[in-house]
Amino acid sequence: MTVGIWLLGDQLNKNNSALSSCITAKKDTVILLIESLNLAPLTVYHAQKLTLIWSAMRHFAEDLRSEGWRVTYAINDDTEMVFQQWIKDNQIDELKLINSSDRGGALDFQQTVNNTNFTGKINYYHNDNFLWQKDDFEEWAKGRKKLILEDFYRLSRKKFNILLENEKTPVGGKWNLDQENRKPPKKNIITPPVLTFSPDQITTEVMQKVAKMSSNTYGNLNNFNWAVTRQDALKVLDHFIAHRLKEFGTYQDAMITNEEFMWHGLISPYINIGLLQPLEVIKAVENAYYNSEEIPLNSAEGFIRQVLGWREYMHGIYHHVNDDYGELNYFNHQRPLPEFFWNNSKTDMNCLKQVLKQTENTGYAHHIQRLMILSNYGLIAGISPQALKSWFHSAFIDAYDWVMQTNVLGMGQFADGGILASKPYASSANYVNKMSDYCKNCRYNYKERSTENACPFNYLYWDFLGRNEEKLRSQGRMNLVLKHLEKITPEEWQKMRQNSALHLNL
């Protein structure tokens, strides 16, 4: 009997459940990896993301071969033909597949299996990129009126015994130290160095391929320096703990001009494709806190909450919601995505320019840049949530449908009407000015909302509240903010709405 294992580009873990089941039968096992844009749900991706995934896949195939596995690595956009030929050439009797992270796509690999004439046995294995499997999350969600992230996070801490005393009490007495993790940047702040990797021959060959795909790519490819192997991904984790974790919590929301990474871990791309495993990352940070007096609890807990709480919760919600979740549009926002999202030179709003330029150069922006700059603008400007979600999926190196759908549609755009978030994440320029230095070098005045030089974040914010007042009043946490609408004079309303119309080319 010959067993076949088809692995996707986000399943690059040598200890995954399917491979582990065949560890003693390597000679009777064949592995397939297909490098194909047709396996992705979109046609345009950041050039660095394609390079990361395809280079990591090629390196992974070489690692498997060096350990005695029989590997077929195909570079072909006709995925179904490759799969059928692989089945035939290897006379495969049994297929072992890992459950996909995403629910669907332009070409679902599981559907490809169903379209063949394969009559052998098919076994599906759990996805090791996540600690909570779909059935586990459904069991937790059963009978709950609201699926509260904090409840899920606390249970996860107990389930995996993370930062606990006596397996039940949180270290330090509090479950969540988020209040300590919202400090704005100091003047003359010095950020830690970034660990980078020079492209080897395999990566260089992939970069040459991607460079020829201009119609399918976005962003700058020339400065690609991400890790593409597990060995190097582990170095990134160690470097984060040694140089960045100490101040990570305190300044995790801060934004500074020309500071692309601040104290962030840059680990999400590697967890999302399997080069790192979530529990090993969590344990490494937990052990660093226990073994070093320099690592404060707010930093360790804050990072662990992002991985064990937010990441696992978002994946669970993604598979829990109805199939039509991706089409929800609570505010009926229909405006197309502005051109400047694809070209930062076409906006003169400095905060947007800085984040978009950074994204073009690296494929990365941290969570507050995504939520409170890019998503916030999309929300108050009335951009189609689906259009914005597609851009996020295309632009970011760690983006996949499972995380972009819930994060952009649910949290960023409130398109689900409150299934995920308790209120819309909308704000004026005050927040941007507080948490960044972007406003200092902007042509707009962050203090003004109705003059010619007023920051668009201000008049768009109040226009958003005004046109959606009825819907927002049903959200209890918005009532205090909505009281301020009564203080705005008719004359100022008119000026702000005129500014909004001019800005949005209405």
Side-chain angles (χ1 to χ4, degrees):
M1 176 179 288
T2 301
V3 174
I5 302 176
W6 182 8
L7 297 175
L8 297 182
D10 63 349
Q11 298 172 348
L12 308 182
N13 169 20
K14 287 190 289 187
N15 297 315
N16 69 57
S17 53
L19 287 175
S20 297
S21 70
C22 298
I23 195 70
T24 59
K26 290 183 179 180
K27 65 181 180 65
D28 297 319
T29 304
V30 291
I31 299 168
L32 174 66
L33 291 111
I34 305 177
E35 185 177 304
S36 169
L37 193 62
N38 285 348
L39 278 170
L42 302 175
T43 57
V44 176
Y45 287 96
H46 201 293
Q48 293 196 32
K49 181 176 184 178
L50 291 179
T51 301
L52 169 68
I53 295 174
W54 288 343
S55 180
M57 288 175 65
R58 294 187 189 188
H59 282 90
F60 185 70
E62 291 301 313
D63 283 347
L64 291 178
R65 290 188 183 113
S66 70
E67 295 184 3
W69 293 98
R70 297 162 58 194
V71 180
T72 297
Y73 192 95
I75 304 175
N76 197 312
D77 284 336
D78 192 340
T79 308
E80 193 164 311
M81 181 275 290
V82 170
F83 176 73
Q84 289 178 331
Q85 193 65 44
W86 176 69
I87 293 283
K88 180 181 178 181
D89 291 348
N90 293 282
Q91 297 182 326
I92 294 172
D93 305 291
E94 179 182 356
L95 275 175
K96 294 189 175 183
L97 307 172
I98 297 174
N99 289 325
S100 174
S101 299
D102 293 341
R103 296 175 76 163
L107 180 60
D108 188 329
F109 86 118
Q110 294 175 353
Q111 188 60 48
T112 301
V113 175
N114 297 336
N115 289 342
T116 67
N117 296 321
F118 182 73
T119 58
K121 185 178 181 181
I122 303 177
N123 288 314
Y124 290 97
Y125 286 75
H126 68 264
N127 192 317
D128 300 270
N129 287 0
F130 303 94
L131 298 173
W132 285 74
Q133 298 303 306
K134 300 173 190 177
D135 292 344
D136 299 331
F137 190 89
E138 289 303 316
E139 184 63 30
W140 172 78
K142 188 183 301 180
R144 294 176 181 265
K145 292 182 179 180
K146 294 285 288 184
L147 304 182
I148 307 298
L149 170 59
E150 184 66 20
D151 294 342
F152 176 82
Y153 169 58
R154 293 185 184 189
L155 180 60
S156 295
R157 289 266 296 271
K158 294 176 182 177
K159 182 175 181 178
F160 297 99
N161 192 24
I162 303 298
L163 290 178
L164 293 182
E165 297 175 352
N166 303 319
E167 298 185 358
K168 60 180 180 179
T169 304
V171 171
K174 294 181 180 179
W175 289 101
N176 187 321
L177 299 176
D178 191 43
Q179 292 293 331
E180 300 179 28
N181 293 349
R182 301 175 181 174
K183 290 190 177 180
K186 296 179 180 178
K187 290 183 179 179
N188 302 318
I189 202 166
I190 299 176
T191 58
V194 177
L195 185 62
T196 61
F197 303 89
S198 299
D200 61 7
Q201 182 177 346
I202 291 178
T203 301
T204 300
E205 290 173 356
V206 173
M207 292 174 69
Q208 291 170 349
K209 172 185 174 177
V210 172
K212 297 176 182 178
M213 302 171 56
S214 58
S215 63
N216 299 112
T217 61
Y218 151 82
N220 184 356
L221 177 60
N222 295 329
N223 59 345
F224 179 89
N225 50 37
W226 296 89
V228 293
T229 67
R230 171 165 169 78
Q231 292 79 7
D232 284 345
L234 286 168
K235 292 177 184 177
V236 174
L237 175 59
D238 292 341
H239 188 270
F240 166 62
I241 291 172
H243 300 283
R244 314 174 83 83
L245 179 58
K246 179 180 178 180
E247 301 288 353
F248 166 79
T250 303
Y251 296 116
Q252 68 174 354
D253 289 0
M255 299 170 281
I256 301 177
T257 301
N258 296 326
E259 290 288 350
E260 296 173 330
F261 304 121
M262 300 290 286
W263 281 270
H264 289 268
L266 310 180
I267 290 169
S268 55
Y270 311 123
I271 303 181
N272 288 357
I273 63 175
L275 294 183
L276 295 177
Q277 296 302 292
L279 191 57
E280 75 175 336
V281 171
I282 292 165
K283 283 293 186 181
V285 171
E286 181 188 40
N287 290 336
Y289 166 73
Y290 285 137
N291 297 324
S292 173
E293 294 182 358
E294 292 189 353
I295 305 300
L297 181 58
N298 70 299
S299 287
E301 187 278 323
F303 180 85
I304 288 172
R305 179 161 23 92
Q306 287 192 0
V307 180
L308 182 59
W310 176 85
R311 183 176 184 274
E312 295 287 333
Y313 177 80
M314 287 294 187
H315 181 254
I317 288 286
Y318 170 81
H319 287 284
H320 174 76
V321 295
N322 294 333
D323 291 341
D324 66 349
Y325 186 91
E327 303 305 316
L328 298 180
N329 192 345
Y330 183 69
F331 295 116
N332 194 31
H333 286 167
Q334 302 294 340
R335 291 194 180 101
L337 190 76
E339 189 176 356
F340 61 72
F341 271 81
W342 298 106
N343 183 347
N344 77 84
S345 68
K346 298 191 180 232
T347 179
D348 53 3
M349 294 175 65
N350 191 47
C351 58
L352 285 169
K353 181 182 291 292
Q354 293 298 326
V355 178
L356 290 168
K357 180 174 68 172
Q358 173 183 319
T359 303
E360 289 176 21
N361 287 334
T362 67
Y364 179 85
H366 72 64
H367 65 287
I368 292 299
Q369 292 174 315
R370 300 189 200 195
L371 178 63
M372 300 309 299
I373 303 293
L374 302 179
S375 280
N376 184 18
Y377 178 85
L379 176 63
I380 61 179
I383 296 171
S384 159
Q386 286 68 36
L388 191 65
K389 179 258 181 185
S390 292
W391 180 85
F392 266 72
H393 195 165
S394 292
F396 288 112
I397 199 164
D398 55 2
Y400 295 87
D401 192 62
W402 68 265
V403 64
M404 290 298 102
Q405 183 164 291
T406 46
N407 196 38
V408 178
L409 299 185
M411 179 174 285
Q413 299 303 291
F414 205 73
D416 62 7
I419 294 175
L420 189 117
S422 58
K423 70 178 183 66
Y425 280 87
S427 80
S428 65
N430 282 336
Y431 179 87
V432 179
N433 181 62
K434 175 185 175 183
M435 297 307 299
S436 78
D437 65 355
Y438 295 155
C439 298
K440 293 179 181 178
N441 297 309
C442 187
R443 59 155 292 200
Y444 297 105
N445 189 334
Y446 73 90
K447 296 180 180 180
E448 299 291 336
R449 64 184 184 184
S450 57
T451 65
E452 290 184 0
N453 294 322
C455 175
F457 261 112
N458 289 335
Y459 52 73
L460 289 175
Y461 171 71
W462 290 107
D463 187 40
F464 165 76
L465 295 182
R467 69 177 185 266
N468 293 293
E469 181 178 1
E470 185 176 345
K471 284 188 173 182
L472 292 171
R473 287 205 179 278
S474 66
Q475 310 296 327
R477 293 184 64 190
M478 294 297 297
N479 287 332
L480 184 62
V481 174
L482 293 173
K483 287 184 179 294
H484 292 285
L485 296 178
E486 302 170 2
K487 302 176 183 178
I488 301 175
T489 65
E491 292 78 16
E492 189 171 21
W493 266 123
Q494 183 179 8
K495 290 178 181 178
M496 287 195 293
R497 284 172 175 154
Q498 287 175 345
N499 281 344
S500 297
L502 286 172
H503 178 82
L504 298 170
N505 295 318
L506 296 180

